[in-house]
Amino acid sequence: MNKNFFNSHKLVFAIILFMVPVSQASIDIYSPSMPHIVNGLNTTESKVQLTISLFLLSLGFGQYLYGAISDSIGRKKSLLIGMFLFTISSLACYYSSNIEILILARFFQGLGAASIAVLSKAVSVDLYDGIVLMKASAWIGLIWGVAPIVAPVIGGHLDEFGGWRLSFLVLAIYGFISCLFVILFMPETNKKFQKFNFKYILKTSLFILKNKDFMGSTLIIATTNLGLFVFTLMAPFLIQNILGKSQIFFGYMALVIGAVYILGAFLSNYAIRNFESDKIINLVSKMLLFIGIIMVFISFLFPKSIWILMLTSSLFAFSSGFLYPFLVGRMFAPFQNIAGMVSANYGIVSYTFSGIISIIISFLKITSLVEISYAYCLVGIITYLSMRFMFKFNFK
């Protein structure tokens, strides 16, 4: 690896890497505790699931917001605002006395976490270019991908040790340390401040959103990622409440799903060199539709099979990791000179879409594998329709 990568701005980049897991870990770290939150706050499964759905919505909106304002007020101020909001809202989650407060606090927590989700890319572009930037991005992608794998395992042990609130206290401490790092050690990396221009931002966004490759790719990524969120949203209640397993057991099951996602992303590097992207996207989309439909029928025969749950979830996780590089390349190809705005629009479209669909899914009361199969079938249908939209239709 290039020696300059370590010697130039290494402290600033180390701070960024420290904060990168925030957005993903905040989704997954308390997933093993969701059944206990239902009991602890005397609420329902669907309302607890809303704590993830609203987090996703604000995470998407926040990425668009920080991407725009960081060019005007700077990366450091934007990141400090976001991490301070994340810290305060994490404490609010910890002290929540009812589910309504927890849902509201989670919304603002997502808004804060969005800062590092988008600014990690912006700061990297400020610091590096060329091959060194690619290497920096690879490190960010690696840590971002590992975070949701290990977070449920950590969360399961935290829940067993100190209850469901402890995960939020750990996130608050994480956010507080991040704020200190930004204040004490991080200089401003944006050397070209720009006046905030809402008209330009809106015009550019509309230009991007009208592109079928961007919208199709974004929707497929959002939908296949939703396959991961289905496991996070619904599997804790099946595994712990219905099947009687522990929160730690669920954490390790989530670890397996995350590892399969990483495997898919790794194998995609081989497929990119040997297969046409259109054929891969078409084939995998059809496969997910088929798996989703088949799972509905099988779930009626084996309504409490953890093996079917893990197999189906693994296939969706693998497909999500496998398709991601193909779709990102297709998404950015028409917009080489406005990559920042493409990233901002990707964030708001993908996470808002995932948040809305997850709200719909939260209305399914989990009594067996059947309800989870409905959710995966919906994911398969939307993925297939998004693929058809991308390949068949054009905006006029």
Side-chain angles (χ1 to χ4, degrees):
M1 184 173 286
N2 193 319
K3 186 177 179 181
N4 291 331
F5 177 79
F6 293 103
N7 293 335
S8 179
H9 311 295
K10 63 180 181 180
L11 179 59
V12 177
F13 190 65
I15 293 172
I16 293 299
L17 289 180
F18 175 77
M19 292 187 287
V20 162
V22 164
S23 61
Q24 292 300 101
S26 299
I27 297 173
D28 294 276
I29 193 169
Y30 78 103
S31 57
S33 303
M34 291 172 69
H36 295 162
I37 296 176
V38 172
N39 298 326
L41 295 181
N42 192 27
T43 184
T44 63
E45 294 175 3
S46 61
K47 287 186 177 180
V48 173
Q49 289 169 333
L50 284 178
T51 63
I52 291 181
S53 302
L54 270 294
F55 182 93
L56 293 174
L57 287 174
S58 61
L59 184 63
F61 174 75
Q63 288 186 53
Y64 191 83
L65 178 66
Y66 291 111
I69 68 172
S70 69
D71 288 336
S72 303
I73 69 172
R75 317 297 190 211
K76 181 173 182 175
K77 289 181 179 178
S78 301
L79 197 53
L80 186 58
I81 290 170
M83 294 312 299
F84 179 77
L85 178 59
F86 176 83
T87 303
I88 296 301
S89 56
S90 296
L91 283 174
C93 291
Y94 176 75
Y95 286 109
S96 295
S97 57
N98 57 61
I99 189 60
E100 288 74 22
I101 293 176
L102 182 59
I103 291 172
L104 183 63
R106 282 285 290 170
F107 178 85
F108 285 104
Q109 192 184 39
L111 205 58
S115 59
I116 185 61
V118 68
L119 292 178
S120 60
K121 305 179 186 71
V123 171
S124 298
V125 173
D126 292 340
L127 297 178
Y128 307 111
D129 57 23
I131 295 176
V132 180
L133 175 59
M134 294 174 64
K135 293 178 179 178
S137 300
W139 275 100
I140 291 174
L142 175 64
I143 293 178
W144 187 88
V146 169
I149 298 177
V150 300
V153 177
I154 295 173
H157 286 284
L158 288 173
D159 183 271
E160 185 183 49
F161 178 76
W164 67 266
R165 296 179 187 272
L166 187 56
S167 291
F168 292 112
L169 180 60
V170 169
L171 290 176
I173 295 171
Y174 189 0
F176 177 73
I177 295 173
S178 298
C179 288
L180 290 180
F181 281 168
V182 173
I183 293 171
L184 297 175
F185 303 114
M186 185 173 174
E188 177 53 56
T189 61
N190 183 12
K191 305 303 181 183
K192 298 178 181 179
F193 285 82
Q194 299 178 7
K195 185 177 181 180
F196 186 81
N197 189 332
F198 179 76
K199 184 177 180 181
Y200 167 77
I201 293 172
L202 182 61
K203 182 180 178 180
T204 306
S205 294
L206 290 175
F207 172 68
I208 293 169
L209 295 173
K210 286 182 178 180
N211 184 277
K212 68 180 181 66
D213 284 337
F214 170 83
M215 283 301 296
S217 297
T218 300
L219 289 176
I220 293 174
I221 291 174
T223 308
T224 53
N225 283 344
L226 188 61
L228 298 172
F229 295 140
V230 165
F231 188 84
T232 302
L233 280 167
M234 306 180 79
F237 299 104
L238 177 69
I239 292 176
Q240 294 171 237
N241 290 352
I242 308 299
L243 302 181
K245 304 295 184 179
S246 70
Q247 64 270 48
I248 293 177
F249 180 87
F250 168 78
Y252 282 104
M253 292 300 97
L255 178 69
V256 172
I257 300 301
V260 171
Y261 173 88
I262 296 296
L263 176 63
F266 176 78
L267 291 180
S268 69
N269 293 322
Y270 168 79
I272 286 172
R273 297 192 299 267
N274 294 278
F275 300 98
E276 294 181 22
S277 63
D278 287 9
K279 291 182 178 180
I280 291 292
I281 296 169
N282 185 296
L283 177 64
V284 176
S285 299
K286 289 179 179 178
M287 181 189 75
L288 291 180
L289 175 62
F290 176 77
I291 293 171
I293 294 172
I294 290 297
M295 186 188 180
V296 172
F297 291 100
I298 295 178
S299 66
F300 280 99
L301 298 175
F302 307 97
K304 295 183 180 180
S305 173
I306 195 169
W307 297 107
I308 293 175
L309 170 66
M310 292 302 297
L311 177 60
T312 305
S313 301
S314 296
L315 288 171
F316 273 85
F318 180 89
S319 300
S320 179
F322 188 75
L323 283 181
Y324 184 78
F326 291 98
L327 295 165
V328 168
R330 193 181 188 97
M331 180 195 311
F332 279 90
F335 309 107
Q336 296 295 328
N337 297 323
I338 51 173
M341 284 299 297
V342 174
S343 295
N345 280 274
Y346 161 74
I348 192 169
V349 172
S350 62
Y351 282 102
T352 300
F353 180 81
S354 296
I356 292 172
I357 300 299
S358 64
I359 290 174
I360 296 172
I361 291 174
S362 69
F363 287 102
L364 294 171
K365 182 173 175 58
I366 302 158
T367 61
S368 68
L369 189 60
V370 173
E371 292 79 19
I372 299 178
S373 73
Y374 291 155
Y376 276 124
C377 187
L378 179 62
V379 170
I381 291 171
I382 299 176
T383 302
Y384 176 77
L385 292 177
S386 299
M387 179 273 293
R388 295 282 296 177
F389 163 81
M390 183 168 65
F391 289 149
K392 295 295 183 181
F393 301 102
N394 281 292
F395 285 101
K396 300 296 182 182

